[in-house]
């Protein structure tokens, strides 16, 4: 029998043997051993029959493909988009002009704005319009907006696909019409609007006197007292993009540095509370400060469309998380609720925090919901990984919210003791007590990515598989 006649199952075993001998994992992809590359290129039949193996090995890359606007990078993306097997496994694309490519930064910028780049992107998007897996195209560099949005429009892309990340500080010095106009002119392409505040630095990393100078000049847009990052152009942009399906707010930090954050509050007043997002299904809030009354009002306003809600290290400057839970109970379409890491399973900081303490409303939380409190005397290397509380169906969400409200209680956060800063007093916030449902505590959650699970299963396949 000729080697080219071997079935894909046998060729896959040969690939696994080669990979086990010389494969290495990097951040975005699995680097194929040279022997495997040579094996696949030795015969056209081998090349076609081993597409499955390459798809598994490059699974992480296809889950989150990072590309720069260079000719070489776009050529790779075009090749992926032109092969149905890979195209239908590509989930997210992130365009980043800082991505290390084959050209210098100056040459990347020149190519990115050229007609050739627009043409290549247009052909790529025409291919990707047929993808069955692509979730979003991530933009976090203003220089990329004109080229990518122009190409999507030329390709007549059929649905909302763009994830736009906005750092309000970047819009303060200039009007940025060149970058804002493509966004406001293409609302039919934008599905996800994400706001990223400038994080605060840890006090131990700031030299004496540096913080005073930073506060005085605030060149980095940090949320110091009185700082308001939302400008009229940004408010107008948010109003124009009121048809987005996803909103994400990344605040200024996950440590209680502020009692009331004017910057976070300004974003909520100028972007979230000010607009109604008719198709809003996903809401994610991380590392920020928000008025509990504003948040509950926003949830109530969108209770008919919200399907996915995520909170991670959020501070309520007024109100309680019990009130937020009451608002979530009115979301008839809610299918996914993520309230962040649970302190009882390894995380020393509570994910849901509020300014005021609250006593238990009734009896103590029943034992079937309680797990052992994290032991702070353990060595860092012995700490278990943070385990998130994630509820993936309406029945579990209803049950969890009911128990959370019935036995609602808080305790003072421990970060003030864990992070002792000389001359720096941390504000006091109180952690809302969280818990796992009994059937969620039977086994440790699998925190591996979809691509990593597939890769591990592929490499461990035995002869009888």
């Amino acid at each position: 029998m000729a080697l080219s006649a071997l079935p894909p199952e046998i060729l896959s075993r040969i690939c696994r043997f080669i990979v086990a001998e010389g494969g290495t994992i990097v951040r975005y992809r699995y680097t194929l051993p040279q022997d495997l590359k040579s094996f696949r290129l030795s015969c056209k039949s081998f090349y076609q029959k081993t597409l499955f193996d390459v798809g598994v090995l490059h699974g992480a890359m296809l889950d989150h493909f990072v590309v720069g606007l260079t000719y070489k990078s776009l050529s790779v993306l075009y090749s992926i988009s032109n092969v149905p097997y890979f195209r239908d496994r590509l989930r997210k694309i992130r365009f980043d002009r800082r991505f290390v490519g084959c050209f210098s930064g100056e040459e990347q910028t020149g190519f990115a704005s050229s007609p050739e780049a627009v043409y290549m992107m247009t052909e790529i998007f025409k291919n990707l319009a047929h993808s069955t897996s692509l979730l979003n195209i991530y933009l976090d560099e203003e220089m990329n907006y004109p080229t990518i949005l122009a190409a999507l429009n030329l390709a007549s892309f059929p649905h909302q696909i763009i994830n736009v990340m906005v750092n309000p500080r970047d819009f303060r010095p200039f009007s940025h019409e060149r970058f804002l106009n493509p966004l406001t002119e293409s609302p039919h392409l934008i599905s996800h609007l994400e706001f990223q505040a400038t994080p605060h630095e840890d006090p131990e990393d700031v030299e004496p006197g540096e913080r005073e100078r930073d506060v005085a000049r605030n060149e980095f847009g940090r949320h110091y007292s009185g700082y308001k990052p939302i400008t009229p152009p940004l408010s107008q942009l948010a109003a124009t993009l009121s048809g987005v399906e996803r909103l994400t707010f990344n605040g200024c930090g996950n440590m209680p540095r502020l009692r009331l954050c004017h910057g976070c509050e300004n974003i909520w007043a100028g972007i979230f509370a000010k607009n109604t997002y008719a198709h809003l299904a996903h809401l994610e809030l991380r590392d920020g400060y928000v008025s509990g009354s504003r948040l509950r009002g926003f949830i109530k306003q969108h209770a008919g469309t919200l399907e996915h809600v995520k909170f991670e290290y959020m501070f309520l400057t007024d109100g309680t998380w019990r009130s937020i839970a009451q608002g979530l109970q009115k979301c008839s379409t809610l299918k996914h609720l993520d309230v962040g890491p649970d302190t009882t399973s390894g995380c020393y900081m509570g994910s849901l925090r509020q300014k005021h303490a609250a006593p238990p409303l009734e009896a103590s939380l029943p034992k079937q919901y309680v797990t052992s409190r994290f032991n702070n005397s353990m060595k860092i290397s012995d700490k278990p990984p943070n385990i998130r509380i994630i509820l993936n169906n309406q029945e579990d969400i209803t049950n969890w919210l009911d128990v959370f409200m019935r036995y609602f209680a808080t305790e003072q956060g421990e970060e003030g003791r864990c992070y002792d800063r000389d001359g720096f007093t941390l504000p006091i916030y109180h952690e809302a007590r969280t818990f796992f449902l009994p059937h969620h505590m039977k086994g440790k959650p699998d925190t591996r990515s979809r691509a990593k699970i597939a890769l591990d299963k592929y490499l461990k396949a035995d002869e009888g598989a």
Side-chain angles (χ1 to χ4, degrees), residues 30 136 201 224 355-356 383 402:
Y30 195 93
N136 67 59
E201 292 183 303
Y224 296 129
K355 192 68 186 74
H356 302 289
K383 290 181 181 178
D402 179 65

Side-chain angles (χ1 to χ4, degrees), residues 168-351:
R169 72 166 188 183
D170 296 334
F171 290 85
R172 291 184 67 82
F174 311 104
S175 58
H176 289 266
E177 283 87 356
R178 179 188 173 195
F179 311 115
L180 285 172
N181 288 346
L183 297 178
T184 56
E185 292 168 1
S186 303
H188 59 289
L189 295 173
I190 300 173
S191 63
H192 189 166
L193 193 56
E194 181 173 356
F195 289 86
Q196 174 65 65
T198 303
H200 283 281
E201 292 183 303
D202 285 336
E204 64 181 6
D205 298 330
V206 180
E207 296 180 2
E210 182 179 333
R211 184 177 186 277
E212 287 72 17
R213 292 191 296 270
D214 191 14
V215 171
R217 301 175 65 179
N218 202 6
E219 296 175 344
F220 301 101
R222 302 194 200 280
H223 287 187
Y224 296 129
S225 179
Y227 179 75
K228 296 183 177 181
I230 296 302
T231 60
L234 274 181
S235 293
Q236 183 180 359
L237 173 65
T240 303
L241 302 182
S242 60
V244 297
E245 300 169 351
R246 298 169 179 248
L247 279 176
T248 297
F249 169 60
N250 299 303
C252 55
N254 63 4
M255 291 293 294
R257 295 175 175 83
L258 304 169
R259 291 168 177 80
L260 176 64
C261 179
H262 297 106
C264 291
E265 186 69 11
N266 182 239
I267 291 176
W268 267 91
I271 300 296
F272 290 82
K274 189 175 181 179
N275 300 304
T276 298
Y277 298 89
H279 306 291
L280 184 63
H282 290 236
L283 177 66
E284 298 188 13
L285 309 179
R286 304 186 189 97
D287 304 337
Y289 301 77
V290 64
S291 159
S293 58
R294 284 191 186 276
L295 177 56
R296 182 178 178 179
F298 187 82
I299 291 173
K300 180 180 179 181
Q301 189 175 11
H302 298 87
T305 59
L306 281 175
E307 299 178 1
H308 178 127
V309 173
K310 176 179 178 179
F311 300 120
E312 182 175 335
Y313 299 130
M314 286 298 297
F315 301 84
L316 298 186
T317 55
D318 65 62
T320 69
W321 282 105
R322 185 176 187 274
S323 175
I324 302 304
Q326 288 177 323
L328 291 172
Q329 283 186 320
K330 295 178 170 58
C331 297
S332 58
T333 57
L334 193 59
K335 302 174 184 176
H336 180 103
L337 178 61
D338 181 347
V339 296
D342 178 71
T343 53
T344 62
S345 60
C347 182
Y348 66 87
M349 294 192 301
S351 184

Side-chain angles (χ1 to χ4, degrees), residues 117-119 121-122 125 146-157:
V118 175
Y119 174 77
M121 290 297 306
T122 301
F125 290 139
T147 299
I148 295 172
L149 289 167
L152 282 165
N153 281 304
L154 287 171
S156 300
F157 205 81

